[in-house]
Amino acid sequence: MADHKQFVVIGLGSFGGALAERLGENGCRVTGMDQSKDRVESLKDVLYEAVIGDARDRESISHLPVATAHAVIISMGEDITQSLLATLHARELGAKQVVVKGVTDEHARILKCLGVNRVIFPEEEIARQLADQMTWPNVLDFLPIDPEYSFVEVASPDNWAGKTMQELDLRRKHSVWVVGVKDALTGKLQMFPGGDYRLSADQILLVVGKQVDVNKLSDFR
């Protein structure tokens, strides 16, 4: 349960609508706003509050709980002007965190100047994730920590079964740190396994390291 975190989603198109719906499923209180009555109507059963309004109008956004929400997410399709105005209004009305769907690099740079916390390009992020999954099929999940380091879940190669962490010596040989081992079948998690911890079949390693080293490790079969 998300402890009823509150979010405001401005723009309920394909991305904003899916995001609002998922946040609602996660137990969050989501206020959604869009100019389209049909879009708002289609989501009224999953939204905590559904509002028909024009994001270009500061007065319309002032009626939304932008100052008390955990975050305001703005997804205005390809309309850069509308996106920038909505962002400006949200910032001026005291939004704690603003996340905006980007359209172009120039749009992203202007958004950064407005002080948004994150600009996302959903298609690019999904494409990169898919490309990584296809390149390294044994990588189950991937989380960038900073430009150099990443946290990944890697399926343990079959030939590692029966070996201890000391025998594998991944820190010295591959410059990565194993912070946890999870059983793929039961979901049981062993955090910070010691050197005498012996791997078995069907286990997943939770690994932290530089991207270049994680990539090399991900090539193992």
Side-chain angles (χ1 to χ4, degrees):
M1 182 62 67
D3 194 27
H4 296 302
K5 283 186 177 179
Q6 188 176 33
F7 293 89
V8 173
V9 179
I10 300 175
L12 300 175
S14 57
F15 175 73
L19 178 66
E21 186 172 8
R22 185 60 176 174
L23 286 170
E25 291 172 352
N26 289 346
C28 302
R29 292 183 175 179
V30 183
T31 297
M33 186 179 84
D34 197 284
Q35 255 185 309
S36 168
K37 180 180 178 180
D38 290 340
R39 288 178 179 174
V40 173
E41 286 289 324
S42 68
L43 291 168
K44 67 179 182 180
D45 291 334
V46 297
L47 295 175
Y48 180 72
E49 182 181 20
V51 179
I52 301 171
D54 187 347
R56 296 170 297 183
D57 179 23
R58 190 179 192 276
E59 184 68 18
S60 295
I61 294 182
S62 70
H63 294 298
L64 307 178
V66 295
T68 56
H70 181 73
V72 176
I73 302 102
I74 298 170
S75 175
M76 306 305 302
E78 300 300 310
D79 192 331
I80 292 177
T81 300
Q82 195 171 13
S83 171
L84 292 174
L85 286 173
T87 301
L88 176 64
H89 298 329
R91 292 289 298 166
E92 289 181 343
L93 291 167
K96 301 172 186 176
Q97 184 176 191
V98 181
V99 179
V100 185
K101 178 184 175 183
V103 178
T104 65
D105 290 339
E106 291 81 4
H107 180 219
R109 290 202 296 271
I110 297 172
L111 289 170
K112 288 294 185 182
C113 290
L114 289 175
V116 305
N117 300 87
R118 182 179 176 188
V119 180
I120 56 173
F121 292 88
E123 294 85 357
E124 291 183 12
E125 293 188 15
I126 291 172
R128 285 196 296 267
Q129 183 180 19
L130 179 59
D132 289 344
Q133 290 174 347
M134 295 178 72
T135 304
W136 303 295
N138 58 331
V139 174
L140 306 177
D141 201 1
F142 169 83
L143 176 65
I145 299 174
D146 72 2
E148 276 195 274
Y149 287 86
S150 297
F151 175 89
V152 298
E153 289 187 349
V154 182
S156 178
D158 292 339
N159 60 359
W160 286 6
K163 295 183 178 180
T164 65
M165 299 305 299
Q166 185 174 2
E167 289 171 336
L168 292 172
D169 201 5
L170 298 180
R171 181 175 177 181
R172 182 180 65 83
K173 294 179 181 178
H174 303 288
S175 302
V176 298
W177 286 259
V178 178
V179 298
V181 179
K182 182 167 63 175
D183 189 287
L185 300 178
T186 66
K188 183 178 180 180
L189 177 65
Q190 171 67 48
M191 291 298 294
F192 307 110
D196 60 349
Y197 184 90
R198 193 175 300 277
L199 292 176
S200 58
D202 300 316
Q203 288 190 311
I204 298 167
L205 305 182
L206 283 63
V207 176
V208 174
K210 285 188 175 182
Q211 187 61 55
V212 62
D213 297 317
V214 168
N215 289 350
K216 292 176 182 177
L217 184 69
S218 301
D219 283 327
F220 285 13
R221 297 289 186 272

